[in-house]
Amino acid sequence: EKAPGHLDARADDFDKQIDAALRDGDGAALQNLDADLGRELWCHDVPALQALGAAATGSVEAQVHYADDPFGVQY
């Protein structure tokens, strides 16, 4: 727990939110990601995901080819 970036209990739900939004092509869910929480969890891509959400208007088909956390970090 003293190591930088130690396991944070909030990370699993945050990762699941991102995964579901991407799989569903849900632009609104991407736009509504909590940027402050993302920074706390070292997810520095939240602004890019929010921009993607803003660009994803209407019906969007999406595929996630890989989603796993083999080393304790979601890829």
Side-chain angles (χ1 to χ4, degrees):
E1 290 185 7
K2 294 180 183 180
H6 69 87
L7 180 61
D8 189 313
R10 303 170 296 171
D12 188 52
D13 286 338
F14 188 75
D15 291 342
K16 286 178 182 175
Q17 254 187 314
I18 294 171
D19 185 64
L22 291 171
R23 287 181 190 276
D24 296 341
D26 188 342
L30 288 173
Q31 286 181 291
N32 291 323
L33 288 172
D34 185 338
D36 292 330
L37 177 58
R39 277 190 293 281
E40 291 176 22
L41 297 174
W42 295 14
C43 179
H44 302 290
D45 296 330
V46 172
L49 291 169
Q50 290 171 324
L52 176 64
T57 58
S59 178
V60 177
E61 289 187 34
Q63 292 182 349
V64 175
H65 295 282
Y66 182 82
D68 200 1
D69 60 349
F71 306 106
V73 175
Q74 184 70 26
Y75 293 95

